[in-house]
Amino acid sequence: MSVYLLRRLFQSLLVMLAMSVIVFVGVYAIGDPVEILISPDADQIERERAIKALGLDLPLWMQYLSFLGNALRGDLGRSFVFNEPALQLILQRMPATLELAFGAMFIALLIGLPLGLYAGLKPNSMGSKVIMTGSILGFSLPTFWVGLMLIMVFAVQLGWLPSTGRGPTVEVMGLRWSFLTWDGLRHLAMPALNLALFKISLVIRLTRAGVRETMLMDYVKFARAKGLSPARVTYVHVFKNILIPVVTVVGLELGSTIAFSVVTESVFAWPGMGKLIIDSINVLDRPVIVAYLMIIVLMFITINLLVDLAYSALDPRVRLENK
């Protein structure tokens, strides 16, 4: 296992290096932030002074080498707009995005697993058909429209939940979290549900397919032949085995949930990394954009590694193959 971890870490470093080049060149090839940050009435001397202060007068390869050297020291540059370290700006917004993403995945598993299990055990029942039809809607409905409908129904008409914002927070280990307060949970409910709709549909279909496939396996038939109760067959022999693909896909989906929560954060004015990156793109705040993309890449790599480890823990065949 240690050799496997070292190999994966080396591969991760190569991926990070390659992505740093792609991200840096891609971002710095778009637009000119000076045109946005400097007043149109500024003369040429002021423009040149601003360009030099921002480090944009250097060749692109020198800017990249400077970025790479600073990144190795934990410095991902300073924001053009806020004049603060880009990493600090992102870390300030990261708890909001993380609790939104984890809240969405928790809702997806809480709702998707039981519904998918029921649909797999009783595929011809009316309830199963309703569940599968609902999963199609979850895949099809656009996130921004669902978010607006949730605000219209639960915030405007019923007045049950707040429409925007994060709510009060509690500081734990230097980070501020809103899910630890009741009002914070009320603020989190709608955006987390909106972000979870696609994931719920995905978990339902994965679970149903896994149940239908596992129910035909010989070890399930043998468990039934031994006279085990249907509940024991379902939750011990079936449910444990369908968790393997579900954990794999849900783990990978967690990375995409963190990265692509931009729409939900914009609709609900959720102060996370997604809203920060949208604001930074509007003003071409390049250091923040590059730092955000690099952190997202690092998250994807870390999540992939954790998913592989969880997969080997759930499936003994993988551990034997690695040995």
Side-chain angles (χ1 to χ4, degrees), residues 28 30-58 63 80-81 280 282-287:
Y28 275 71
I30 299 174
D32 184 4
V34 176
E35 297 294 334
I36 298 177
L37 299 174
I38 303 301
S39 171
D41 300 330
D43 56 23
Q44 187 61 30
I45 296 177
E46 291 180 353
R47 291 174 61 86
E48 291 179 357
R49 187 183 300 117
I51 291 173
K52 186 174 182 180
L54 296 176
L56 301 176
D57 57 328
L58 300 174
Q63 293 184 47
F80 293 163
V81 177
S280 300
N282 290 333
V283 295
L284 284 180
D285 196 349
R286 288 174 173 174

PDB file of all heavy atoms in Angstrom, residues 28 30-58 63 80-81 280 282-287:
ATOM      1  N   TYR A  28      -4.086  33.705 -18.555  1.00  0.00           N
ATOM      2  CA  TYR A  28      -3.334  34.910 -18.896  1.00  0.00           C
ATOM      3  C   TYR A  28      -3.418  35.257 -20.379  1.00  0.00           C
ATOM      4  O   TYR A  28      -2.956  36.316 -20.791  1.00  0.00           O
ATOM      5  CB  TYR A  28      -1.872  34.757 -18.472  1.00  0.00           C
ATOM      6  CG  TYR A  28      -1.651  35.122 -17.033  1.00  0.00           C
ATOM      7  CD1 TYR A  28      -2.115  34.306 -16.003  1.00  0.00           C
ATOM      8  CD2 TYR A  28      -1.027  36.302 -16.673  1.00  0.00           C
ATOM      9  CE1 TYR A  28      -1.942  34.638 -14.684  1.00  0.00           C
ATOM     10  CE2 TYR A  28      -0.844  36.651 -15.360  1.00  0.00           C
ATOM     11  CZ  TYR A  28      -1.307  35.819 -14.358  1.00  0.00           C
ATOM     12  OH  TYR A  28      -1.134  36.164 -13.033  1.00  0.00           O
ATOM     13  N   ILE A  30      -6.323  35.571 -21.804  1.00  0.00           N
ATOM     14  CA  ILE A  30      -7.655  36.154 -21.966  1.00  0.00           C
ATOM     15  C   ILE A  30      -7.667  37.577 -21.422  1.00  0.00           C
ATOM     16  O   ILE A  30      -7.392  37.801 -20.247  1.00  0.00           O
ATOM     17  CB  ILE A  30      -8.711  35.305 -21.223  1.00  0.00           C
ATOM     18  CG1 ILE A  30      -8.747  33.891 -21.793  1.00  0.00           C
ATOM     19  CG2 ILE A  30     -10.081  35.953 -21.330  1.00  0.00           C
ATOM     20  CD1 ILE A  30      -9.657  32.950 -21.041  1.00  0.00           C
ATOM     21  N   GLY A  31      -7.981  38.518 -22.273  1.00  0.00           N
ATOM     22  CA  GLY A  31      -8.239  39.883 -21.855  1.00  0.00           C
ATOM     23  C   GLY A  31      -7.046  40.598 -21.240  1.00  0.00           C
ATOM     24  O   GLY A  31      -5.948  40.061 -21.124  1.00  0.00           O
ATOM     25  N   ASP A  32      -7.288  41.831 -20.843  1.00  0.00           N
ATOM     26  CA  ASP A  32      -6.279  42.673 -20.220  1.00  0.00           C
ATOM     27  C   ASP A  32      -6.894  43.298 -18.978  1.00  0.00           C
ATOM     28  O   ASP A  32      -7.767  44.175 -19.076  1.00  0.00           O
ATOM     29  CB  ASP A  32      -5.820  43.771 -21.187  1.00  0.00           C
ATOM     30  CG  ASP A  32      -4.691  44.616 -20.610  1.00  0.00           C
ATOM     31  OD1 ASP A  32      -4.225  44.295 -19.497  1.00  0.00           O
ATOM     32  OD2 ASP A  32      -4.277  45.586 -21.269  1.00  0.00           O
ATOM     33  N   PRO A  33      -6.481  42.872 -17.788  1.00  0.00           N
ATOM     34  CA  PRO A  33      -7.088  43.411 -16.569  1.00  0.00           C
ATOM     35  C   PRO A  33      -6.857  44.904 -16.383  1.00  0.00           C
ATOM     36  O   PRO A  33      -7.623  45.569 -15.693  1.00  0.00           O
ATOM     37  CB  PRO A  33      -6.412  42.597 -15.453  1.00  0.00           C
ATOM     38  CG  PRO A  33      -5.152  42.096 -16.051  1.00  0.00           C
ATOM     39  CD  PRO A  33      -5.450  41.869 -17.497  1.00  0.00           C
ATOM     40  N   VAL A  34      -5.804  45.440 -17.001  1.00  0.00           N
ATOM     41  CA  VAL A  34      -5.530  46.872 -16.869  1.00  0.00           C
ATOM     42  C   VAL A  34      -6.677  47.689 -17.430  1.00  0.00           C
ATOM     43  O   VAL A  34      -7.028  48.756 -16.909  1.00  0.00           O
ATOM     44  CB  VAL A  34      -4.201  47.221 -17.566  1.00  0.00           C
ATOM     45  CG1 VAL A  34      -3.950  48.725 -17.521  1.00  0.00           C
ATOM     46  CG2 VAL A  34      -3.051  46.484 -16.897  1.00  0.00           C
ATOM     47  N   GLU A  35      -7.304  47.188 -18.498  1.00  0.00           N
ATOM     48  CA  GLU A  35      -8.424  47.906 -19.108  1.00  0.00           C
ATOM     49  C   GLU A  35      -9.597  48.034 -18.149  1.00  0.00           C
ATOM     50  O   GLU A  35     -10.396  48.968 -18.256  1.00  0.00           O
ATOM     51  CB  GLU A  35      -8.877  47.180 -20.380  1.00  0.00           C
ATOM     52  CG  GLU A  35      -7.828  47.118 -21.476  1.00  0.00           C
ATOM     53  CD  GLU A  35      -7.497  48.487 -22.038  1.00  0.00           C
ATOM     54  OE1 GLU A  35      -8.382  49.378 -21.951  1.00  0.00           O
ATOM     55  OE2 GLU A  35      -6.384  48.681 -22.543  1.00  0.00           O
ATOM     56  N   ILE A  36      -9.727  47.096 -17.207  1.00  0.00           N
ATOM     57  CA  ILE A  36     -10.830  47.121 -16.251  1.00  0.00           C
ATOM     58  C   ILE A  36     -10.439  47.834 -14.967  1.00  0.00           C
ATOM     59  O   ILE A  36     -11.225  48.594 -14.394  1.00  0.00           O
ATOM     60  CB  ILE A  36     -11.301  45.686 -15.948  1.00  0.00           C
ATOM     61  CG1 ILE A  36     -11.825  45.033 -17.233  1.00  0.00           C
ATOM     62  CG2 ILE A  36     -12.362  45.656 -14.866  1.00  0.00           C
ATOM     63  CD1 ILE A  36     -12.253  43.590 -17.059  1.00  0.00           C
ATOM     64  N   LEU A  37      -9.211  47.599 -14.521  1.00  0.00           N
ATOM     65  CA  LEU A  37      -8.793  48.121 -13.221  1.00  0.00           C
ATOM     66  C   LEU A  37      -8.379  49.583 -13.260  1.00  0.00           C
ATOM     67  O   LEU A  37      -8.464  50.281 -12.246  1.00  0.00           O
ATOM     68  CB  LEU A  37      -7.626  47.275 -12.683  1.00  0.00           C
ATOM     69  CG  LEU A  37      -7.926  45.788 -12.441  1.00  0.00           C
ATOM     70  CD1 LEU A  37      -6.661  45.048 -12.062  1.00  0.00           C
ATOM     71  CD2 LEU A  37      -8.979  45.630 -11.367  1.00  0.00           C
ATOM     72  N   ILE A  38      -7.913  50.059 -14.420  1.00  0.00           N
ATOM     73  CA  ILE A  38      -7.415  51.438 -14.541  1.00  0.00           C
ATOM     74  C   ILE A  38      -8.488  52.305 -15.188  1.00  0.00           C
ATOM     75  O   ILE A  38      -9.183  51.881 -16.110  1.00  0.00           O
ATOM     76  CB  ILE A  38      -6.120  51.479 -15.372  1.00  0.00           C
ATOM     77  CG1 ILE A  38      -5.070  50.570 -14.730  1.00  0.00           C
ATOM     78  CG2 ILE A  38      -5.593  52.902 -15.469  1.00  0.00           C
ATOM     79  CD1 ILE A  38      -4.703  50.934 -13.306  1.00  0.00           C
ATOM     80  N   SER A  39      -8.633  53.504 -14.687  1.00  0.00           N
ATOM     81  CA  SER A  39      -9.616  54.436 -15.232  1.00  0.00           C
ATOM     82  C   SER A  39      -9.304  54.751 -16.698  1.00  0.00           C
ATOM     83  O   SER A  39      -8.135  54.880 -17.083  1.00  0.00           O
ATOM     84  CB  SER A  39      -9.610  55.737 -14.424  1.00  0.00           C
ATOM     85  OG  SER A  39     -10.406  56.719 -15.047  1.00  0.00           O
ATOM     86  N   PRO A  40     -10.331  54.857 -17.534  1.00  0.00           N
ATOM     87  CA  PRO A  40     -10.096  55.204 -18.951  1.00  0.00           C
ATOM     88  C   PRO A  40      -9.429  56.560 -19.134  1.00  0.00           C
ATOM     89  O   PRO A  40      -8.824  56.827 -20.184  1.00  0.00           O
ATOM     90  CB  PRO A  40     -11.519  55.205 -19.544  1.00  0.00           C
ATOM     91  CG  PRO A  40     -12.337  54.375 -18.610  1.00  0.00           C
ATOM     92  CD  PRO A  40     -11.749  54.591 -17.259  1.00  0.00           C
ATOM     93  N   ASP A  41      -9.540  57.427 -18.129  1.00  0.00           N
ATOM     94  CA  ASP A  41      -8.934  58.761 -18.222  1.00  0.00           C
ATOM     95  C   ASP A  41      -7.451  58.759 -17.858  1.00  0.00           C
ATOM     96  O   ASP A  41      -6.797  59.808 -17.966  1.00  0.00           O
ATOM     97  CB  ASP A  41      -9.679  59.732 -17.299  1.00  0.00           C
ATOM     98  CG  ASP A  41     -11.151  59.860 -17.675  1.00  0.00           C
ATOM     99  OD1 ASP A  41     -11.461  59.714 -18.879  1.00  0.00           O
ATOM    100  OD2 ASP A  41     -11.978  60.091 -16.767  1.00  0.00           O
ATOM    101  N   ALA A  42      -6.911  57.627 -17.407  1.00  0.00           N
ATOM    102  CA  ALA A  42      -5.503  57.571 -17.001  1.00  0.00           C
ATOM    103  C   ALA A  42      -4.600  57.732 -18.212  1.00  0.00           C
ATOM    104  O   ALA A  42      -4.895  57.241 -19.309  1.00  0.00           O
ATOM    105  CB  ALA A  42      -5.218  56.249 -16.306  1.00  0.00           C
ATOM    106  N   ASP A  43      -3.484  58.434 -18.005  1.00  0.00           N
ATOM    107  CA  ASP A  43      -2.550  58.626 -19.114  1.00  0.00           C
ATOM    108  C   ASP A  43      -1.639  57.404 -19.247  1.00  0.00           C
ATOM    109  O   ASP A  43      -1.704  56.459 -18.464  1.00  0.00           O
ATOM    110  CB  ASP A  43      -1.722  59.900 -18.903  1.00  0.00           C
ATOM    111  CG  ASP A  43      -0.983  59.907 -17.569  1.00  0.00           C
ATOM    112  OD1 ASP A  43      -0.750  58.804 -17.010  1.00  0.00           O
ATOM    113  OD2 ASP A  43      -0.649  60.991 -17.072  1.00  0.00           O
ATOM    114  N   GLN A  44      -0.751  57.447 -20.245  1.00  0.00           N
ATOM    115  CA  GLN A  44       0.091  56.299 -20.547  1.00  0.00           C
ATOM    116  C   GLN A  44       1.073  55.997 -19.417  1.00  0.00           C
ATOM    117  O   GLN A  44       1.389  54.826 -19.149  1.00  0.00           O
ATOM    118  CB  GLN A  44       0.857  56.550 -21.851  1.00  0.00           C
ATOM    119  CG  GLN A  44       1.635  55.368 -22.372  1.00  0.00           C
ATOM    120  CD  GLN A  44       0.737  54.188 -22.698  1.00  0.00           C
ATOM    121  OE1 GLN A  44      -0.420  54.378 -23.066  1.00  0.00           O
ATOM    122  NE2 GLN A  44       1.255  52.976 -22.571  1.00  0.00           N
ATOM    123  N   ILE A  45       1.539  57.038 -18.741  1.00  0.00           N
ATOM    124  CA  ILE A  45       2.498  56.831 -17.646  1.00  0.00           C
ATOM    125  C   ILE A  45       1.840  56.048 -16.506  1.00  0.00           C
ATOM    126  O   ILE A  45       2.425  55.110 -15.950  1.00  0.00           O
ATOM    127  CB  ILE A  45       3.037  58.189 -17.147  1.00  0.00           C
ATOM    128  CG1 ILE A  45       3.822  58.891 -18.251  1.00  0.00           C
ATOM    129  CG2 ILE A  45       3.904  57.990 -15.903  1.00  0.00           C
ATOM    130  CD1 ILE A  45       4.326  60.259 -17.867  1.00  0.00           C
ATOM    131  N   GLU A  46       0.611  56.432 -16.160  1.00  0.00           N
ATOM    132  CA  GLU A  46      -0.094  55.730 -15.100  1.00  0.00           C
ATOM    133  C   GLU A  46      -0.386  54.283 -15.502  1.00  0.00           C
ATOM    134  O   GLU A  46      -0.293  53.368 -14.674  1.00  0.00           O
ATOM    135  CB  GLU A  46      -1.399  56.456 -14.776  1.00  0.00           C
ATOM    136  CG  GLU A  46      -1.196  57.812 -14.101  1.00  0.00           C
ATOM    137  CD  GLU A  46      -2.518  58.489 -13.798  1.00  0.00           C
ATOM    138  OE1 GLU A  46      -3.555  57.946 -14.237  1.00  0.00           O
ATOM    139  OE2 GLU A  46      -2.506  59.541 -13.149  1.00  0.00           O
ATOM    140  N   ARG A  47      -0.716  54.067 -16.763  1.00  0.00           N
ATOM    141  CA  ARG A  47      -0.985  52.713 -17.239  1.00  0.00           C
ATOM    142  C   ARG A  47       0.274  51.847 -17.147  1.00  0.00           C
ATOM    143  O   ARG A  47       0.227  50.700 -16.697  1.00  0.00           O
ATOM    144  CB  ARG A  47      -1.507  52.743 -18.672  1.00  0.00           C
ATOM    145  CG  ARG A  47      -2.891  53.345 -18.812  1.00  0.00           C
ATOM    146  CD  ARG A  47      -3.270  53.482 -20.298  1.00  0.00           C
ATOM    147  NE  ARG A  47      -3.277  52.190 -20.933  1.00  0.00           N
ATOM    148  CZ  ARG A  47      -4.320  51.363 -20.928  1.00  0.00           C
ATOM    149  NH1 ARG A  47      -5.431  51.694 -20.294  1.00  0.00           N
ATOM    150  NH2 ARG A  47      -4.251  50.203 -21.541  1.00  0.00           N
ATOM    151  N   GLU A  48       1.411  52.400 -17.574  1.00  0.00           N
ATOM    152  CA  GLU A  48       2.654  51.645 -17.507  1.00  0.00           C
ATOM    153  C   GLU A  48       3.052  51.364 -16.065  1.00  0.00           C
ATOM    154  O   GLU A  48       3.591  50.291 -15.761  1.00  0.00           O
ATOM    155  CB  GLU A  48       3.762  52.414 -18.224  1.00  0.00           C
ATOM    156  CG  GLU A  48       3.568  52.489 -19.739  1.00  0.00           C
ATOM    157  CD  GLU A  48       4.666  53.275 -20.417  1.00  0.00           C
ATOM    158  OE1 GLU A  48       5.543  53.811 -19.682  1.00  0.00           O
ATOM    159  OE2 GLU A  48       4.658  53.371 -21.659  1.00  0.00           O
ATOM    160  N   ARG A  49       2.798  52.323 -15.182  1.00  0.00           N
ATOM    161  CA  ARG A  49       3.101  52.108 -13.767  1.00  0.00           C
ATOM    162  C   ARG A  49       2.236  50.974 -13.206  1.00  0.00           C
ATOM    163  O   ARG A  49       2.731  50.124 -12.442  1.00  0.00           O
ATOM    164  CB  ARG A  49       2.860  53.394 -12.979  1.00  0.00           C
ATOM    165  CG  ARG A  49       3.319  53.297 -11.522  1.00  0.00           C
ATOM    166  CD  ARG A  49       2.993  54.562 -10.732  1.00  0.00           C
ATOM    167  NE  ARG A  49       3.642  55.718 -11.320  1.00  0.00           N
ATOM    168  CZ  ARG A  49       2.989  56.752 -11.834  1.00  0.00           C
ATOM    169  NH1 ARG A  49       1.653  56.764 -11.833  1.00  0.00           N
ATOM    170  NH2 ARG A  49       3.634  57.781 -12.345  1.00  0.00           N
ATOM    171  N   ALA A  50       0.964  50.936 -13.588  1.00  0.00           N
ATOM    172  CA  ALA A  50       0.066  49.879 -13.115  1.00  0.00           C
ATOM    173  C   ALA A  50       0.476  48.521 -13.684  1.00  0.00           C
ATOM    174  O   ALA A  50       0.461  47.501 -12.977  1.00  0.00           O
ATOM    175  CB  ALA A  50      -1.374  50.204 -13.504  1.00  0.00           C
ATOM    176  N   ILE A  51       0.845  48.495 -14.957  1.00  0.00           N
ATOM    177  CA  ILE A  51       1.269  47.240 -15.581  1.00  0.00           C
ATOM    178  C   ILE A  51       2.501  46.681 -14.877  1.00  0.00           C
ATOM    179  O   ILE A  51       2.591  45.479 -14.605  1.00  0.00           O
ATOM    180  CB  ILE A  51       1.548  47.464 -17.082  1.00  0.00           C
ATOM    181  CG1 ILE A  51       0.235  47.739 -17.826  1.00  0.00           C
ATOM    182  CG2 ILE A  51       2.255  46.257 -17.695  1.00  0.00           C
ATOM    183  CD1 ILE A  51       0.429  48.139 -19.269  1.00  0.00           C
ATOM    184  N   LYS A  52       3.457  47.568 -14.552  1.00  0.00           N
ATOM    185  CA  LYS A  52       4.666  47.117 -13.876  1.00  0.00           C
ATOM    186  C   LYS A  52       4.361  46.664 -12.450  1.00  0.00           C
ATOM    187  O   LYS A  52       4.932  45.664 -11.969  1.00  0.00           O
ATOM    188  CB  LYS A  52       5.694  48.248 -13.855  1.00  0.00           C
ATOM    189  CG  LYS A  52       7.050  47.828 -13.294  1.00  0.00           C
ATOM    190  CD  LYS A  52       8.070  48.944 -13.442  1.00  0.00           C
ATOM    191  CE  LYS A  52       9.443  48.502 -12.935  1.00  0.00           C
ATOM    192  NZ  LYS A  52      10.453  49.587 -13.069  1.00  0.00           N
ATOM    193  N   ALA A  53       3.446  47.363 -11.770  1.00  0.00           N
ATOM    194  CA  ALA A  53       3.100  46.996 -10.394  1.00  0.00           C
ATOM    195  C   ALA A  53       2.432  45.628 -10.341  1.00  0.00           C
ATOM    196  O   ALA A  53       2.626  44.856  -9.408  1.00  0.00           O
ATOM    197  CB  ALA A  53       2.191  48.059  -9.784  1.00  0.00           C
ATOM    198  N   LEU A  54       1.656  45.312 -11.376  1.00  0.00           N
ATOM    199  CA  LEU A  54       0.968  44.027 -11.433  1.00  0.00           C
ATOM    200  C   LEU A  54       1.853  42.916 -11.995  1.00  0.00           C
ATOM    201  O   LEU A  54       1.442  41.756 -12.030  1.00  0.00           O
ATOM    202  CB  LEU A  54      -0.303  44.138 -12.278  1.00  0.00           C
ATOM    203  CG  LEU A  54      -1.386  45.083 -11.737  1.00  0.00           C
ATOM    204  CD1 LEU A  54      -2.544  45.184 -12.721  1.00  0.00           C
ATOM    205  CD2 LEU A  54      -1.884  44.615 -10.379  1.00  0.00           C
ATOM    206  N   GLY A  55       3.039  43.251 -12.443  1.00  0.00           N
ATOM    207  CA  GLY A  55       3.942  42.253 -12.998  1.00  0.00           C
ATOM    208  C   GLY A  55       3.580  41.795 -14.394  1.00  0.00           C
ATOM    209  O   GLY A  55       4.057  40.751 -14.855  1.00  0.00           O
ATOM    210  N   LEU A  56       2.763  42.580 -15.096  1.00  0.00           N
ATOM    211  CA  LEU A  56       2.310  42.188 -16.426  1.00  0.00           C
ATOM    212  C   LEU A  56       3.267  42.630 -17.523  1.00  0.00           C
ATOM    213  O   LEU A  56       3.013  42.364 -18.708  1.00  0.00           O
ATOM    214  CB  LEU A  56       0.914  42.780 -16.695  1.00  0.00           C
ATOM    215  CG  LEU A  56      -0.183  42.355 -15.709  1.00  0.00           C
ATOM    216  CD1 LEU A  56      -1.483  43.073 -16.018  1.00  0.00           C
ATOM    217  CD2 LEU A  56      -0.371  40.849 -15.733  1.00  0.00           C
ATOM    218  N   ASP A  57       4.359  43.311 -17.156  1.00  0.00           N
ATOM    219  CA  ASP A  57       5.316  43.746 -18.160  1.00  0.00           C
ATOM    220  C   ASP A  57       6.323  42.654 -18.505  1.00  0.00           C
ATOM    221  O   ASP A  57       7.057  42.765 -19.495  1.00  0.00           O
ATOM    222  CB  ASP A  57       6.061  44.989 -17.669  1.00  0.00           C
ATOM    223  CG  ASP A  57       6.771  44.745 -16.335  1.00  0.00           C
ATOM    224  OD1 ASP A  57       6.241  43.943 -15.530  1.00  0.00           O
ATOM    225  OD2 ASP A  57       7.833  45.351 -16.099  1.00  0.00           O
ATOM    226  N   LEU A  58       6.355  41.576 -17.719  1.00  0.00           N
ATOM    227  CA  LEU A  58       7.295  40.488 -17.958  1.00  0.00           C
ATOM    228  C   LEU A  58       6.755  39.540 -19.023  1.00  0.00           C
ATOM    229  O   LEU A  58       5.545  39.452 -19.230  1.00  0.00           O
ATOM    230  CB  LEU A  58       7.528  39.699 -16.658  1.00  0.00           C
ATOM    231  CG  LEU A  58       8.112  40.492 -15.478  1.00  0.00           C
ATOM    232  CD1 LEU A  58       8.144  39.610 -14.236  1.00  0.00           C
ATOM    233  CD2 LEU A  58       9.500  41.009 -15.806  1.00  0.00           C
ATOM    234  N   GLN A  63       6.541  35.181 -16.066  1.00  0.00           N
ATOM    235  CA  GLN A  63       5.436  35.282 -15.122  1.00  0.00           C
ATOM    236  C   GLN A  63       5.075  33.904 -14.573  1.00  0.00           C
ATOM    237  O   GLN A  63       4.775  33.756 -13.372  1.00  0.00           O
ATOM    238  CB  GLN A  63       4.218  35.904 -15.812  1.00  0.00           C
ATOM    239  CG  GLN A  63       4.405  37.358 -16.222  1.00  0.00           C
ATOM    240  CD  GLN A  63       3.140  37.937 -16.817  1.00  0.00           C
ATOM    241  OE1 GLN A  63       2.054  37.771 -16.275  1.00  0.00           O
ATOM    242  NE2 GLN A  63       3.265  38.638 -17.943  1.00  0.00           N
ATOM    243  N   PHE A  80      -5.527  41.370  -7.700  1.00  0.00           N
ATOM    244  CA  PHE A  80      -5.436  42.703  -8.286  1.00  0.00           C
ATOM    245  C   PHE A  80      -6.451  43.647  -7.671  1.00  0.00           C
ATOM    246  O   PHE A  80      -6.189  44.853  -7.543  1.00  0.00           O
ATOM    247  CB  PHE A  80      -5.684  42.630  -9.801  1.00  0.00           C
ATOM    248  CG  PHE A  80      -4.613  41.906 -10.564  1.00  0.00           C
ATOM    249  CD1 PHE A  80      -4.857  41.460 -11.855  1.00  0.00           C
ATOM    250  CD2 PHE A  80      -3.365  41.674 -10.011  1.00  0.00           C
ATOM    251  CE1 PHE A  80      -3.876  40.805 -12.574  1.00  0.00           C
ATOM    252  CE2 PHE A  80      -2.378  41.015 -10.712  1.00  0.00           C
ATOM    253  CZ  PHE A  80      -2.636  40.567 -12.006  1.00  0.00           C
ATOM    254  N   VAL A  81      -7.618  43.128  -7.298  1.00  0.00           N
ATOM    255  CA  VAL A  81      -8.728  43.957  -6.827  1.00  0.00           C
ATOM    256  C   VAL A  81      -8.643  44.216  -5.330  1.00  0.00           C
ATOM    257  O   VAL A  81      -8.734  45.363  -4.874  1.00  0.00           O
ATOM    258  CB  VAL A  81     -10.081  43.298  -7.175  1.00  0.00           C
ATOM    259  CG1 VAL A  81     -11.238  44.118  -6.611  1.00  0.00           C
ATOM    260  CG2 VAL A  81     -10.217  43.136  -8.680  1.00  0.00           C
ATOM    261  N   SER A 280     -14.414  37.500  -9.682  1.00  0.00           N
ATOM    262  CA  SER A 280     -13.038  37.663 -10.155  1.00  0.00           C
ATOM    263  C   SER A 280     -12.959  37.606 -11.679  1.00  0.00           C
ATOM    264  O   SER A 280     -12.173  38.329 -12.299  1.00  0.00           O
ATOM    265  CB  SER A 280     -12.136  36.587  -9.542  1.00  0.00           C
ATOM    266  OG  SER A 280     -12.129  36.672  -8.136  1.00  0.00           O
ATOM    267  N   ASN A 282     -15.307  38.571 -13.713  1.00  0.00           N
ATOM    268  CA  ASN A 282     -15.884  39.819 -14.224  1.00  0.00           C
ATOM    269  C   ASN A 282     -14.875  40.949 -14.259  1.00  0.00           C
ATOM    270  O   ASN A 282     -14.965  41.840 -15.128  1.00  0.00           O
ATOM    271  CB  ASN A 282     -17.095  40.225 -13.378  1.00  0.00           C
ATOM    272  CG  ASN A 282     -18.279  39.306 -13.590  1.00  0.00           C
ATOM    273  OD1 ASN A 282     -18.430  38.706 -14.652  1.00  0.00           O
ATOM    274  ND2 ASN A 282     -19.134  39.180 -12.583  1.00  0.00           N
ATOM    275  N   VAL A 283     -13.905  40.939 -13.335  1.00  0.00           N
ATOM    276  CA  VAL A 283     -12.900  42.012 -13.284  1.00  0.00           C
ATOM    277  C   VAL A 283     -11.522  41.505 -13.698  1.00  0.00           C
ATOM    278  O   VAL A 283     -10.524  42.210 -13.517  1.00  0.00           O
ATOM    279  CB  VAL A 283     -12.838  42.646 -11.873  1.00  0.00           C
ATOM    280  CG1 VAL A 283     -14.136  43.341 -11.545  1.00  0.00           C
ATOM    281  CG2 VAL A 283     -12.510  41.594 -10.819  1.00  0.00           C
ATOM    282  N   LEU A 284     -11.458  40.276 -14.254  1.00  0.00           N
ATOM    283  CA  LEU A 284     -10.186  39.686 -14.701  1.00  0.00           C
ATOM    284  C   LEU A 284      -9.122  39.710 -13.601  1.00  0.00           C
ATOM    285  O   LEU A 284      -7.971  40.093 -13.843  1.00  0.00           O
ATOM    286  CB  LEU A 284      -9.665  40.410 -15.952  1.00  0.00           C
ATOM    287  CG  LEU A 284     -10.374  40.086 -17.269  1.00  0.00           C
ATOM    288  CD1 LEU A 284      -9.752  40.883 -18.414  1.00  0.00           C
ATOM    289  CD2 LEU A 284     -10.295  38.597 -17.577  1.00  0.00           C
ATOM    290  N   ASP A 285      -9.532  39.298 -12.412  1.00  0.00           N
ATOM    291  CA  ASP A 285      -8.591  39.204 -11.291  1.00  0.00           C
ATOM    292  C   ASP A 285      -7.819  37.893 -11.445  1.00  0.00           C
ATOM    293  O   ASP A 285      -8.142  36.867 -10.815  1.00  0.00           O
ATOM    294  CB  ASP A 285      -9.346  39.257  -9.964  1.00  0.00           C
ATOM    295  CG  ASP A 285      -8.425  39.565  -8.793  1.00  0.00           C
ATOM    296  OD1 ASP A 285      -7.193  39.524  -8.992  1.00  0.00           O
ATOM    297  OD2 ASP A 285      -8.937  39.833  -7.687  1.00  0.00           O
ATOM    298  N   ARG A 286      -6.776  37.907 -12.272  1.00  0.00           N
ATOM    299  CA  ARG A 286      -6.087  36.689 -12.687  1.00  0.00           C
ATOM    300  C   ARG A 286      -5.516  35.859 -11.535  1.00  0.00           C
ATOM    301  O   ARG A 286      -5.661  34.632 -11.534  1.00  0.00           O
ATOM    302  CB  ARG A 286      -4.989  37.050 -13.692  1.00  0.00           C
ATOM    303  CG  ARG A 286      -5.519  37.465 -15.048  1.00  0.00           C
ATOM    304  CD  ARG A 286      -4.393  37.952 -15.928  1.00  0.00           C
ATOM    305  NE  ARG A 286      -4.833  38.200 -17.289  1.00  0.00           N
ATOM    306  CZ  ARG A 286      -4.053  38.744 -18.230  1.00  0.00           C
ATOM    307  NH1 ARG A 286      -2.811  39.079 -17.922  1.00  0.00           N
ATOM    308  NH2 ARG A 286      -4.520  38.939 -19.439  1.00  0.00           N
ATOM    309  N   PRO A 287      -4.834  36.458 -10.560  1.00  0.00           N
ATOM    310  CA  PRO A 287      -4.282  35.620  -9.474  1.00  0.00           C
ATOM    311  C   PRO A 287      -5.346  34.815  -8.737  1.00  0.00           C
ATOM    312  O   PRO A 287      -5.123  33.651  -8.392  1.00  0.00           O
ATOM    313  CB  PRO A 287      -3.607  36.645  -8.554  1.00  0.00           C
ATOM    314  CG  PRO A 287      -3.277  37.787  -9.450  1.00  0.00           C
ATOM    315  CD  PRO A 287      -4.398  37.860 -10.433  1.00  0.00           C
TER     316      PRO A 287
END
